[in-house]
Amino acid sequence: MNFELKALTAAAAAREKCDLLLVLVSEQAASGTFGSDAIGAMVAHAVKQGDFALTCGKQLPLYQVPAIAARRVVLLGTGAGSARDVRNALAGCGAVLKTDGIAKAVVSFAFDADAQAVAAAVQAVADATYLYTHTKSQAKPIALTKLVLGVSSKTAAVTAAFNTAVAQQEGVNTAREWANRPANHATPTLLANAAKSIAKAARMSCKIHGPAEVAKLGMGAFMAVAQGSREPLRFIELHYNGAAKSVAPIVLVGKGITFDTGGISLKPAAEMDEMKFDMGGAASVLGVFQALARLQPAINVVGLIPACENMPDGAAIKPGDVVTSMSGQTIEILNTDAEGRLVLCDVLHYAARFKPSALVDMATLTGACVIALGGLRSGLFSTSDELAAALQTAGDAALDPCWRMPLDEEYADGLKSNFADMGNVAGRAAGAVTAAKFLQKFVGDIPWAHLDIAGTAWKSGAAKGATGRPVGLLVQYLLGQQGKAAPAPATAKTSASRKSAAKPAASRRTRVTAKASA
Ligand code: BES
Ligand code: MN
Ligand code: ZN
């Protein structure tokens, strides 16, 4: 989708040649006077007659209205006109946006929309018009290719929010696409190839570690999960160097179980297909890098993805097996279905070599988190109040919210083992928390946060499909870190040492393909 931000008065919106004009009207507009232009007069009339309510999501479809160039016109109520209202109102316009013959649409704000509302409109339209086609033989692309966002005035804040939102949505689409692909079309090797192709962008590089390298690193927990599968594991390492080498990177880690059968602790058959989404964390790392490629912010980011399948097999791990993690800590695998924490713990330990200013992992880790928070908010666990606050704020701003959960030491009690340094599961109680406590044993004193996205990375039922979350949250957070990162200690072996130092961000222009015309 090609998004364009345009300053459009109501009169100009009426003249804009397009197949569909969506006019967003808020209660704010109703309290004042509607313009005397064609659209304003029509809205005022419809409201007065009781034919159009401004409540969020209310629609009034019109056809070939005199003095309006668009063939179809839809008046859309957006309630108070907040970002959430705009998102929710536009979410109900999927059908009309996807109608045959609508190639160019204009979404015009008939009220003073703030920057967040404009960003929300980009998010909602992108969300409603994403179409999965990869394994459909008869797929027909959506006609809509051009979306003009008409705002009353193109302030710097609105333009910046628009550009960020366009990049966020490109990242979200990347994440959705890879998470949606079935496990036989999104193997660890294919994910690694996707990472390589994203890393062709400026200031990026990518390193793929195979089974031999991972064995050499001593990642015994990660290897243990992969040993039951015919698909060779891949450890994907992405680097984005947008700031000076001296700036400590933010390390993102994404769980990349391309299919989770549970292993010998086999899952029930019902809905097991959804375990192809168990690489949602990995997909979000790919999505974030896609967005970074476009935005080129002045930060350093490392993306790490342990990718493998969790399969039952003659060679698979068995309950009771003890493995040695890269950190040296031994783990009794009491349940082979608690595999996410096993692949993550080695990569979290590996992350320390980059001396990160923050370490954030994303994982579809526990069914317990789905029970706790459902599909609305991701679970947030953190050893740092500052990092937790930054992530929570970013999530709210990006309409990709999370909620902080506890990490009291007592929650780790259930992980005690008689045969190893720890077991990989505790009891049923507080399952999302005990999983986080397990991960915490591998992060040392690096400020760390864990996002349990088991409830938010995909939707089940009729709308079954990946959401691309938490790409929006992460991009928002990362952009907020520009200029904030404390310099890394002189001894830090940052990835930047592998590539020449980046130019100062101020001397660069943000490359956006989304045109911002006047
Ligand atoms: N990938 C699952 C978590 C999951 C389950 C996400 C259902 C979304 C929906 C994870 O690997 C898993 O199986 N976790 C177990 C842990 C348990 C064995 C301690 C779970 O949640 O049941
Ligand atoms: Mn599992
Ligand atoms: Zn899993």
Side-chain angles (χ1 to χ4, degrees):
M1 178 79 58
N2 183 359
F3 286 96
E4 181 181 351
L5 183 67
K6 222 170 172 180
L8 281 182
T9 60
R15 285 193 304 267
E16 190 78 10
K17 284 204 176 58
C18 58
D19 305 301
L20 168 69
L21 173 64
L22 263 169
V23 185
L24 272 49
V25 192
S26 79
E27 285 151 3
Q28 170 201 322
S31 63
T33 48
F34 293 109
S36 54
D37 56 279
I39 295 174
M42 189 177 57
V43 172
H45 193 63
V47 170
K48 197 163 162 223
Q49 295 288 310
D51 291 324
F52 178 48
L54 303 174
T55 3
C56 188
K58 282 277 187 295
Q59 298 183 11
L60 181 61
L62 309 159
Y63 192 67
Q64 284 187 340
V65 183
I68 294 184
R71 197 166 78 248
R72 282 164 167 257
V73 180
V74 174
L75 304 183
L76 181 62
T78 57
S82 72
R84 264 182 63 216
D85 290 331
V86 167
R87 197 252 330 250
N88 293 343
L90 280 170
C93 297
V96 63
L97 286 166
K98 286 191 271 195
T99 305
D100 240 9
I102 293 187
K104 179 185 172 187
V106 175
V107 171
S108 165
F109 288 89
F111 61 97
D112 230 350
D114 60 19
Q116 284 76 30
V118 172
V122 173
Q123 183 187 87
V125 171
D127 188 58
T129 54
Y130 166 84
L131 185 69
Y132 176 81
T133 60
H134 189 65
T135 45
K136 297 253 201 184
S137 68
Q138 310 281 320
K140 197 170 156 229
I142 289 169
L144 188 67
T145 52
K146 173 94 189 169
L147 198 288
V148 176
L149 266 186
V151 293
S152 52
S153 76
K154 247 174 63 179
T155 61
V158 165
T159 306
F162 170 81
N163 289 336
T164 299
V166 169
Q168 268 165 327
Q169 286 321 300
E170 198 184 313
V172 164
N173 280 353
T174 298
R176 288 178 85 171
E177 183 58 32
W178 278 104
N180 278 335
R181 291 189 185 183
N184 63 331
H185 292 263
T187 60
T189 305
L190 289 168
L191 287 190
N193 292 345
K196 278 192 245 173
S197 103
I198 290 168
K200 285 186 186 132
R203 302 188 174 81
M204 278 195 193
S205 64
C206 174
K207 203 160 139 186
I208 308 298
H209 309 264
E213 287 105 325
V214 167
K216 204 165 160 219
L217 286 165
M219 294 184 161
F222 178 13
M223 287 193 300
V225 176
Q227 77 188 33
S229 169
R230 302 276 181 96
E231 284 294 334
L233 68 78
R234 290 289 181 267
F235 173 29
I236 302 166
E237 183 174 333
L238 282 154
H239 292 268
Y240 168 71
N241 301 310
K245 276 188 214 173
S246 58
V247 177
I250 292 157
V251 179
L252 303 178
V253 176
K255 170 176 171 181
I257 299 296
T258 58
F259 198 81
D260 182 11
T261 65
I264 297 300
S265 313
L266 195 64
K267 286 184 180 293
E271 278 134 45
M272 205 209 270
D273 65 290
E274 295 189 10
M275 283 299 122
K276 72 173 183 178
F277 296 119
D278 209 17
M279 33 61 76
S284 74
V285 172
L286 296 180
V288 166
F289 272 74
Q290 185 71 63
L292 292 175
R294 177 188 276 259
L295 290 167
Q296 298 280 313
I299 46 172
N300 292 327
V301 186
V302 179
L304 302 174
I305 298 172
C308 70
E309 289 180 344
N310 184 24
M311 298 291 284
D313 181 78
I317 39 168
K318 303 165 290 294
D321 282 3
V322 174
V323 297
T324 304
S325 69
M326 185 183 178
S327 71
Q329 299 177 92
T330 59
I331 304 161
E332 183 183 13
I333 300 173
L334 289 163
N335 188 322
T336 66
D337 198 11
E339 85 298 337
R341 60 198 82 183
L342 295 173
V343 303
L344 289 170
C345 72
D346 278 336
V347 171
L348 288 170
H349 178 80
Y350 179 86
R353 68 177 54 199
F354 303 110
K355 304 268 190 288
S357 58
L359 172 58
V360 183
D361 75 73
M362 292 73 64
T364 49
L365 203 63
T366 65
C369 194
V370 189
I371 303 300
L373 296 172
L376 199 57
R377 288 179 185 264
S378 305
L380 166 66
F381 301 82
S382 184
T383 52
S384 156
D385 291 344
E386 196 192 329
L387 177 57
L391 290 169
Q392 179 129 17
T393 306
D396 290 341
L399 299 179
D400 184 1
C402 59
W403 195 258
R404 193 164 180 189
M405 305 276 276
L407 281 173
D408 304 78
E409 233 2 85
E410 289 82 351
Y411 281 115
D413 289 350
L415 293 170
K416 292 199 173 102
S417 160
N418 290 348
F419 304 102
D421 299 345
M422 69 193 85
N424 75 330
V425 291
R428 265 169 56 83
V433 188
T434 56
K437 289 307 288 181
F438 178 94
L439 297 179
Q440 195 187 346
K441 291 177 183 291
F442 298 85
V443 297
D445 53 14
I446 300 166
W448 161 74
H450 156 61
L451 286 163
D452 194 329
I453 56 169
T456 53
W458 77 89
K459 291 178 187 162
S460 307
K464 192 192 288 182
T467 60
R469 292 177 68 183
V471 171
L473 179 162
L474 293 168
V475 172
Q476 201 79 33
Y477 162 71
L478 290 173
L479 293 180
Q481 297 311 299
Q482 294 181 88
K484 272 195 188 168
T491 52
K493 266 199 294 175
T494 68
S495 58
S497 61
R498 303 195 298 114
K499 263 200 160 181
S500 59
K503 269 192 273 171
S507 71
R508 283 187 237 132
R509 287 182 48 219
T510 305
R511 297 177 319 140
V512 284
T513 57
K515 280 181 284 154
S517 64

